[in-house]
Amino acid sequence: MAATTRDRILEGRLSLRQPASGHRVGLDAVLLANARRAAGHVVDLGAGVGSVGLIFATLNPEARIALVEREPDSLALARLNLAENGLDDRVTVIATDVFAGEAVRVAAGLGRETADLVLTNPPFAAEGGTRASPDDNRRRAHVMQGGDLDGWLRTAASCLRPGGHLVMIHRADALAPVLAACGARFGALTLRFVHVGDTAPAVRLLLLATKGSRAPLTIAAPIIIGAAGPDLAQAYFPAGR
């Protein structure tokens, strides 16, 4: 395993071991983990070292979280992180590929239609469609390997119960493929764009969607990151939505 660091986040409430170089936890993980408050069964799909799920677990003490990841080094760090933070009583690690067949995923522990909420920060770049980073850790985190966004959301829908919620963060300029991948699987879409500064173009979008809903799309007020930005400990979508 490559060199790692141990970092404290959430004002010291959470300790996180992660690679010293390459892909590291940033604002995307914080935004995603804060996007909704919930109890019940939560799946962090494509969890990496477990940052999103562990932040969510810290902020939502009644939730049970499954961290779903396929990369061995990330799995090892995720298991270490949940143990070091004393969260192994309600956080589990599931070693499976998001693009594996449903029977394989179920056998690994990712049940069908069991989750109340799926949180996901999928790789933003399509395989073969971008210049890959020479850093293996960064490349695996940023490039979709073995499938596409449609397949990723197919798995998200598979493990969600009817009426369950999906929260995803993606590039703002990926709006069209994000909406296409939601397709008929999800409705009641709420989009919230993330800007760095009051006048800058959006750099990220947060999507909240409901499995099986036919309610129309809405666009919520933007999130402005900066000196006058929001308190990232708040829930960006109402818990009752």
Side-chain angles (χ1 to χ4, degrees):
M1 183 183 296
T4 63
T5 63
R6 184 181 183 189
D7 305 293
R8 301 200 70 85
I9 59 177
L10 293 183
E11 298 181 336
R13 295 169 64 190
L14 185 68
S15 172
L16 197 68
R17 292 185 184 267
Q18 58 180 327
S21 62
H23 179 75
R24 288 172 56 81
V25 175
L27 185 59
D28 287 357
V30 176
L31 287 167
L32 181 60
N34 278 280
R36 186 175 177 85
R37 296 288 187 259
H41 179 41
V42 179
V43 170
D44 178 0
L45 197 63
V49 302
S51 56
V52 172
L54 294 173
I55 295 171
F56 190 90
T58 303
L59 298 174
N60 297 270
E62 296 184 359
R64 294 171 288 104
I65 295 92
L67 309 176
V68 179
E69 178 56 45
R70 70 180 181 185
E71 298 294 339
D73 286 356
S74 295
L75 285 165
L77 287 174
R79 292 187 177 103
L80 183 60
N81 283 329
L82 70 91
E84 286 191 347
N85 286 283
L87 293 169
D88 43 358
D89 60 333
R90 58 190 182 89
V91 181
T92 58
V93 175
I94 298 176
T96 192
D97 191 335
V98 172
F99 297 120
E102 186 175 85
V104 174
R105 300 195 310 268
V106 170
L110 185 59
R112 183 175 183 274
E113 296 193 338
T114 58
D116 300 294
L117 174 66
V118 168
L119 303 169
T120 190
N121 180 9
F124 291 167
E127 190 170 17
T130 187
R131 183 176 178 180
S133 169
D135 184 277
D136 287 342
N137 171 47
R138 186 179 294 274
R139 183 172 59 254
R140 288 193 298 267
H142 292 180
V143 178
M144 189 86 75
Q145 298 178 337
D148 56 18
L149 186 59
D150 183 77
W152 194 279
L153 292 193
R154 184 184 306 118
T155 296
S158 172
C159 63
L160 272 172
R161 63 168 176 78
H165 298 293
L166 166 74
V167 181
M168 178 172 68
I169 193 166
H170 213 294
R171 298 191 325 265
D173 62 2
L175 176 60
V178 165
L179 295 179
C182 286
R185 301 179 183 116
F186 298 99
L189 274 59
T190 298
L191 302 177
R192 195 159 196 188
F193 291 93
V194 181
H195 303 252
V196 180
D198 293 338
T199 61
V203 294
R204 293 287 185 267
L205 69 85
L206 276 166
L207 167 78
L208 171 67
T210 303
K211 180 179 175 178
S213 174
R214 294 295 176 264
L217 179 149
T218 60
I219 298 178
I223 297 171
I224 308 297
I225 304 300
D231 174 5
L232 295 183
Q234 69 176 304
Y236 290 120
F237 294 107
R241 168 125 173 109

